[in-house]
């Protein structure tokens, strides 16, 4: 988290544990949507689908479009052991 906080202001970062998303998916989708300023789109039928398909659209299209500009910024952090610091 330290590296993310070095790059972005704290108020721009929203962190959830997997357990939160698993237990309260609709609440988390609404919270993330509010955080980035898009209309929340929640599809309950997608929640029950358990698959690991990298081509599947996990996030609604408006949310994916809003996050797309960040891909280049976070790409260097993906798969980097230093980016896996424990959240404090």
């Amino acid at each position: 988290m330290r590296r993310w906080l070095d790059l972005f202001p704290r108020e721009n970062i929203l962190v959830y544990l997997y357990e939160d998303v698993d237990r309260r998916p609709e609440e988390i989708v609404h919270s993330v949507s509010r955080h980035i300023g898009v209309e929340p789109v929640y599809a309950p039928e997608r929640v029950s689908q358990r698959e690991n398909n990298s081509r599947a659209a996990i996030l609604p299209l408006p949310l994916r479009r809003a996050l797309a500009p960040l891909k280049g910024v976070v790409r260097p952090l993906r798969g980097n052991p230093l980016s896996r610091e424990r959240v404090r």
Side-chain angles (χ1 to χ4, degrees):
M1 284 301 303
R2 195 172 303 120
R3 290 184 67 188
W4 287 94
L5 292 169
D6 288 343
L7 294 171
F8 301 101
R10 183 180 273 301
E11 63 272 5
N12 288 4
I13 297 175
L14 185 64
V15 176
Y16 284 106
L17 299 176
Y18 172 79
E19 290 79 11
D20 296 327
V21 177
D22 190 47
R23 290 183 197 134
R24 306 181 333 262
E26 185 172 7
E27 179 184 332
I28 302 301
V29 167
H30 284 269
S31 175
V32 170
S33 297
R34 277 191 312 274
H35 183 75
I36 65 171
V38 299
E39 189 68 30
V41 178
Y42 178 74
E45 67 277 2
R46 298 292 309 249
V47 173
S48 62
Q49 294 176 348
R50 298 291 181 195
E51 61 182 56
N52 187 8
N53 179 351
S54 63
R55 294 180 162 243
I58 297 170
L59 300 174
L61 184 58
L63 189 54
R64 291 195 322 260
R65 284 185 177 150
L67 294 172
L70 298 176
K71 278 186 170 182
V73 174
V74 299
R75 188 169 286 119
L77 301 173
R78 293 185 69 192
N80 183 335
L82 295 177
S83 67
R84 292 191 174 107
E85 296 173 2
R86 294 189 68 153
V87 177
R88 294 179 191 228

